[in-house]
Amino acid sequence: MAFVFKSQDVVVIIKVRDEHPPAHVHVESPKYSVEIDISGVVPKIVRRSKKRRVTTTEAFNRKALQLVTDNLQLCKDTWRQYHGDL
């Protein structure tokens, strides 16, 4: 697991063995977690299968997207360190 950055109780990480496309980060808090696609110009929530348990809220999704948007270059640079090109 590669630490990207932390903001208050929210941490942004890249799972180094999690190489499947698209390039993405995991944004986690003590209660919630969401994956965010960083492969494009604008970060997007990675929608999970309906079979997987939902561990997020719309409010957390907005917060996570804002954090990743504000730190997009850092997220992309960290992804490249572990997985190469986006």
Side-chain angles (χ1 to χ4, degrees):
M1 182 176 343
F3 175 82
V4 181
F5 69 91
K6 182 177 182 176
S7 176
Q8 297 174 341
D9 66 336
V10 177
V11 65
V12 178
I13 60 171
I14 292 174
K15 296 183 178 175
V16 295
R17 294 183 185 213
D18 190 8
E19 298 177 15
H20 65 83
H24 62 282
V25 294
H26 295 259
V27 182
E28 300 178 351
S29 75
K31 286 185 172 181
Y32 306 114
S33 108
V34 65
E35 290 179 33
I36 299 185
D37 176 348
I38 59 168
S39 63
V41 176
V42 176
K44 299 181 274 187
I45 298 290
V46 175
R47 298 291 173 196
R48 293 188 174 189
S49 159
K50 289 183 179 182
K51 292 180 182 179
R52 295 178 91 181
R53 192 174 81 193
V54 175
T55 58
T56 191
T57 64
E58 286 304 314
F60 184 76
N61 286 353
R62 284 191 302 275
K63 181 178 182 176
L65 274 173
Q66 188 62 56
L67 286 170
V68 171
T69 299
D70 292 347
N71 296 280
L72 185 58
Q73 193 58 52
L74 175 60
C75 293
K76 288 183 175 194
D77 290 345
T78 306
W79 176 272
R80 286 185 188 104
Q81 267 186 318
Y82 293 94
H83 300 297
D85 289 335
L86 299 175

